[in-house]
Amino acid sequence: MNQMIRDKLELLPQRPGVYLMKGNKGEILYVGKAKILRNRVRSYFTGSHDRKTQALVSNICDFEYIVTDTVAEALILECNLIKQHTPPYNIMLRDDKTYPYIKLTNEPHPRLQIVRRVKRDGAKYFGPYPSATSAQATKRLLDRLYPLRKCKTLKKQVCLYYHIQQCLAPCVYTVDATEYQEMTKQITHFLSGGHQDVVRDLTAKMEAAAEALQFERASELRDLIRHIEQVMEEQKMTTADRVDRDVFGYAEEKGLLSIQVFYVRSGKVIERSVAIMPHYDEPLTDFMSYVEQFYHERADLPKEVLLPDGVPSEALAMVLDAKVIQPKRGAKRDLVDLACENARQALSDKIQLMEKNMDRTLGAVIELGNALAIEAPRRIEAFDNSNIQGADAVAAMVVFIDGKPAKSEYRKYKIKTVSGPDDYESMREVVRRRYTRLQREGKPLPDLIVIDGGRGQLAAALSVIEGELGLDVPVCGLAKDDKHRTSQLFFMDEEIPVALDRHSQAFYLLERIQDEVHRFAIEFHRQQRRKTGFASALDDIPGVGPERKKALLRKFGSLKAMADADLDEFRGLGIGDKLASEIVTHLRAVLNERNKNIRQDASSKAPLS
């Protein structure tokens, strides 16, 4: 502890507030809140600590604090600062990406979507579904039962979904608003525990079909009933009061904190989630920080929040529009104990898997699926374009299966319909060609499509995949920073990038995919340039190296333009008149020889008279 910190500790007020621990470069290492700043901050620099906390304290070179009027204000400020600075020693709630909802949109022709954020937009939200697989399975089941539209924008003619009776085809036929109201009512009832009524209705229809000797129809209904029962399996854990509540439990071992949440809706435990992460402060402190972030700016609060004994929950209770309870006995206490037991079991399983060195490649695929709230993308197809000022424009696609490259399935594309350097139109062409062919040949679609590029390239790909072809395939875009490193992950048309830990296996997988598709595209582009002589003509000129060649091609765009240029046009590139004259002379000779060969080829292929 340096003298400056000692002096600042003496000045700390006995007031509630937020403190920010800083490293030797002024970076924020940790953000915390305190009922009494003086006592809490001083505790870091006095007494003994375990190894985790000592790792934090050993890196603290300075601190600052912000005084608030109440602990509740400190809680809100702490959550905001954690989101702003993402300190490495804080427990982080990663933008609830693992908690998808099923959304019934508030549109003239509503549709079902899986989203990760609840907005006040008039839509109906069902969930949360912490398991992406569970959310997808439930949506697919609803798609079979209720024929809402699937396409993002209405087409000019009916699609396959209409022919398999999963869409009313509002693109062609008029659908009365009352029909949508009835379906909305049925979907709400189904997801609120009324699926048994649907099963009874389908059972009656199955029996009637069997009696009418319509065995194929009866078989379809039987399979649908089984699917409903599998997806909507009756939960054993229920409470009689039909209250919506979230139940938390936690456990700690070997520097890892495991947090379990039960989602009780209408008195029934419908889902659970578990988060396991490293932590550096006291387990109780970091657990409460997680819970506070969990509800920060959430629009879908339950009526009650149940927490284990000993948790300092007063500040949370003051800012939530929900009852915060620490039950002592009865069914609610049993639920909290069960959540804690599940947290302990999940943590034990996690540690055992780590000790057995779980297959990291497949683990990255599962982690990526959870991050995007989709099923684990076992098959990923990625696209990238390559050209120099539109010349020799090509694109490439690579395929990863279970996180590993499947090189026999890589594909190369020459851009055919785009003139000039237009990456967006090039991306549209390639994506259109790829998935039109898969549709025509009846081949399976990928589980995830990765576009090498930011929002623009992603939007271009989506305009074809969703807008033109009407496909329901997850698509993400990978943007790079100014140092050409994988930087941001955009998913579908969501406005906010998906938060993904740069040190996670999922991030490393995306980085490998982006590097591989870029390498494959560049390699193909170089092959094309060599074939056309675009590069080789310059390679033969002494004094024109790789960087100078790039600059020449970027400025002039073609050999002819370069050969016809005045010498002073080269000066802006730092090329003197002597070298410029050699370049022009050499290229004119190359082009003359090429034109001569073309004329000879043409005369040799002329029809005989």
Side-chain angles (χ1 to χ4, degrees), residues 37-295:
L37 281 167
R38 182 181 181 85
N39 296 346
R40 182 70 181 114
V41 176
R42 286 168 66 93
S43 71
Y44 283 92
F45 303 97
T46 57
S48 60
H49 302 286
D50 59 23
R51 188 167 59 183
K52 302 185 307 297
T53 307
Q54 187 58 43
L56 165 62
V57 174
S58 64
N59 287 304
I60 297 174
C61 296
D62 193 8
F63 70 86
E64 63 180 71
Y65 61 88
I66 303 170
V67 172
T68 62
D69 288 331
T70 65
V71 176
E73 289 177 1
L75 184 156
I76 295 171
L77 180 58
E78 178 196 35
C79 288
N80 287 331
L81 291 174
I82 289 174
K83 285 185 109 176
Q84 178 184 348
H85 296 291
T86 60
Y89 288 94
N90 275 97
I91 285 289
M92 295 294 296
L93 179 66
R94 300 290 181 184
D95 288 334
D96 68 349
K97 61 180 180 296
T98 57
Y99 306 110
Y101 293 79
I102 294 178
K103 174 181 178 179
L104 181 58
T105 63
N106 181 28
E107 299 174 279
H109 303 290
R111 57 193 174 118
L112 290 169
Q113 297 176 297
I114 291 181
V115 298
R116 293 194 300 275
R117 291 179 180 83
V118 175
K119 300 179 181 178
R120 301 183 187 276
D121 55 3
K124 286 183 174 291
Y125 292 85
F126 304 95
Y129 294 87
S131 163
T133 302
S134 175
Q136 289 283 355
T138 305
K139 180 181 178 295
R140 283 197 299 270
L141 178 56
L142 294 171
D143 285 338
R144 293 180 64 184
L145 292 171
Y146 304 103
L148 296 174
R149 71 182 176 99
K150 307 297 185 294
C151 54
K152 185 175 180 180
T153 56
L154 294 182
K155 313 299 178 191
K156 295 182 180 179
Q157 58 186 14
V158 298
C159 63
L160 177 63
Y161 290 112
Y162 172 74
H163 294 297
I164 62 176
Q165 299 180 349
Q166 290 189 20
C167 181
L168 296 174
C171 52
V172 175
Y173 304 108
T174 301
V175 183
D176 194 274
T178 56
E179 191 165 0
Y180 285 134
Q181 291 170 4
E182 180 60 26
M183 274 196 283
T184 298
K185 181 179 177 182
Q186 291 177 14
I187 291 170
T188 303
H189 179 61
F190 182 92
L191 293 176
S192 300
H195 60 278
Q196 292 296 347
D197 295 335
V198 176
V199 169
R200 282 191 288 270
D201 181 54
L202 292 175
T203 302
K205 291 180 180 178
M206 178 186 68
E207 293 170 349
E211 290 178 6
L213 305 182
Q214 297 173 348
F215 299 118
E216 186 175 348
R217 175 60 177 163
S219 176
E220 291 175 356
L221 292 169
R222 179 203 61 199
D223 293 343
L224 182 56
I225 291 168
R226 288 177 179 174
H227 187 43
I228 293 174
E229 290 173 339
Q230 179 182 356
V231 173
M232 306 297 291
E233 182 180 8
E234 184 72 24
Q235 293 284 343
K236 296 179 180 178
M237 295 179 287
T238 60
T239 54
D241 55 13
R242 297 183 62 81
V243 170
D244 290 354
R245 53 175 62 93
D246 291 344
V247 184
F248 287 84
Y250 74 99
E252 189 272 343
E253 185 179 351
K254 296 184 178 180
L256 295 176
L257 186 66
S258 172
I259 300 175
Q260 187 91 195
V261 189
F262 288 152
Y263 302 88
V264 182
R265 298 298 181 264
S266 298
K268 183 184 298 183
V269 179
I270 63 163
E271 277 292 354
R272 68 90 181 258
S273 72
V274 60
I276 301 176
M277 65 209 83
H279 77 105
Y280 298 91
D281 210 325
E282 293 298 319
L284 190 63
T285 301
D286 280 340
F287 165 69
M288 201 56 207
S289 177
Y290 182 93
V291 176
E292 291 159 357
Q293 293 178 60
F294 188 89
Y295 290 111

Side-chain angles (χ1 to χ4, degrees), residues 385 415 417-418 422-430 432 460:
N385 299 325
I415 302 301
T417 64
V418 181
D422 191 334
D423 281 345
Y424 297 163
E425 282 302 322
S426 296
M427 185 61 70
R428 290 188 182 96
E429 177 189 320
V430 174
R432 186 183 298 114

